[in-house]
Amino acid sequence: MSGNATGRLTAETLWEMGRVGSFALSPDGRQAVYAVSYYSVEQNKGHHVLYQMDLDTKKPVLLTQTEDNESAPAFIAEGGKVAFLSNAGGTSQVWEMNPDG
């Protein structure tokens, strides 16, 4: 990975990269849900979304796309639901969804 024409990794490139945060493994061990944070230097703020991955195919699927900053996923209901934090209601609250979004 290079950050500029010289091939050097720069601070700007690091800001553009997503950072993997909290991670949850399904009870059957076949899926994972994880948080990724993206940051904008121009906006001076971060944004958090959730991804799901089938651990056999290793293909990531974006689960959330809102401006509400979803984080801290956890499998609940024997893996039938994913709980997570979101500030969609104005404050950080626990929400749930199906594991496939």
Side-chain angles (χ1 to χ4, degrees):
M1 167 177 275
S2 65
N4 57 33
T6 65
R8 297 181 64 191
L9 184 63
T10 65
E12 291 78 13
T13 303
L14 289 173
W15 277 105
E16 293 173 5
M17 297 169 74
R19 292 161 178 83
V20 176
S22 51
F23 174 93
L25 183 64
S26 65
D28 65 7
R30 299 179 67 188
Q31 298 179 61
V33 176
Y34 56 97
V36 177
S37 301
Y38 296 97
Y39 295 92
S40 169
V41 173
E42 295 82 26
Q43 296 176 354
N44 194 29
K45 68 177 188 174
H47 182 247
H48 315 284
V49 297
L50 297 178
Y51 284 86
Q52 181 267 357
M53 181 181 286
D54 177 298
L55 296 179
D56 289 329
T57 65
K58 308 288 190 276
K59 182 180 177 187
V61 176
L62 181 62
L63 293 179
T64 61
Q65 300 181 49
T66 71
E67 296 293 322
D68 298 321
N69 288 316
E70 300 86 10
S71 63
F75 280 90
I76 59 172
E78 298 177 8
K81 296 282 185 180
V82 173
F84 60 97
L85 295 177
S86 173
N87 62 4
T91 61
S92 188
Q93 298 175 359
V94 177
W95 293 70
E96 71 175 41
M97 69 177 157
N98 292 330
D100 62 359

